[in-house]
Amino acid sequence: MNYSAQYFIQQLNLAEHPEGGYYISSFRAAEDIAVRDVQRPIYTSIYFLLRSQDISHLHRLQSDELWYYHAGSPLTVHMIFPDGTYEAKKLGLNVEAGEIPQIVVPKNTIFGSSVEEADTFSLVGCMVAPGFDFEDFELFTQDELLADYPQHEAVIRKMAYQTIK
């Protein structure tokens, strides 16, 4: 069967995400853990869908995030690590072409994602441990990131908001 982005958006009841794309919470641990003087679930997980015309804008979490490929085209995850280095990894199933079916974005890494192929989408799963909370979510503007990482201007201009919406 040939699935579309709209099929998954409707069937999984996905909503627009503030960073771009569409998501829905799929799992949340029943147990909490004390982290940074607050309580967080041990883990949380979402379905995340990004269309080729969308950008998952550069943001940062205070927890590790594991990404799992599910369907559609490969997804490129762009990462600026705390030491200022940049890396892009392709999430997908064509291992011979350098894609991998799962990746980790370490905590405190600035990251976003994009679908490089035109007129398509990528459906992935994202698990955050300790669990996600919007209190731990930082979204960045181009100016904020260019002040600290001018060496990554091209990716910042492509992947960050000009101003926060």
Side-chain angles (χ1 to χ4, degrees):
M1 184 170 206
N2 192 7
Y3 297 107
S4 68
Q6 196 57 37
Y7 170 83
F8 285 113
I9 290 169
Q10 290 175 336
Q11 294 298 314
L12 297 174
N13 198 29
L14 304 179
E16 289 188 37
H17 197 291
E19 79 196 37
Y22 297 83
Y23 81 109
I24 190 166
S25 178
S26 54
F27 297 101
R28 181 180 194 87
E31 295 179 46
D32 286 351
I33 188 171
V35 179
R36 298 177 298 276
D37 298 324
V38 295
Q39 292 292 117
R40 295 284 183 261
I42 293 172
Y43 68 86
T44 57
S45 186
I46 65 169
Y47 287 117
F48 182 69
L49 183 140
L50 197 65
R51 302 173 304 176
S52 53
Q53 66 264 35
D54 301 324
I55 295 287
S56 167
H57 292 86
L58 292 172
H59 60 287
R60 177 170 50 203
L61 302 180
Q62 294 180 29
S63 297
D64 291 345
E65 184 167 30
L66 295 159
W67 290 60
Y68 304 93
Y69 175 83
H70 291 308
S73 295
L75 182 77
T76 302
V77 180
H78 305 267
M79 296 176 279
I80 301 173
F81 295 97
D83 69 0
T85 60
Y86 168 79
E87 184 178 10
K89 289 189 177 180
K90 277 212 178 206
L91 195 61
L93 298 179
N94 189 348
V95 178
E96 291 177 2
E99 297 171 12
I100 48 181
Q102 63 185 33
I103 66 164
V104 65
V105 176
K107 67 180 179 179
N108 299 317
T109 298
I110 296 167
F111 68 103
S113 58
S114 61
V115 177
E116 305 301 323
E117 295 178 28
D119 301 320
T120 188
F121 70 96
S122 184
L123 176 67
V124 300
C126 302
M127 186 186 82
V128 177
F132 176 83
D133 189 290
F134 272 105
E135 288 290 319
D136 301 334
F137 175 84
E138 297 174 84
L139 196 56
F140 295 96
T141 65
Q142 291 177 6
D143 288 345
E144 289 171 323
L145 293 174
L146 287 170
D148 291 332
Y149 308 103
Q151 70 274 30
H152 304 306
E153 181 175 5
V155 73
I156 288 169
R157 293 215 182 273
K158 174 184 175 185
M159 300 297 302
Y161 283 118
Q162 285 188 315
T163 59
I164 301 295
K165 294 181 176 193

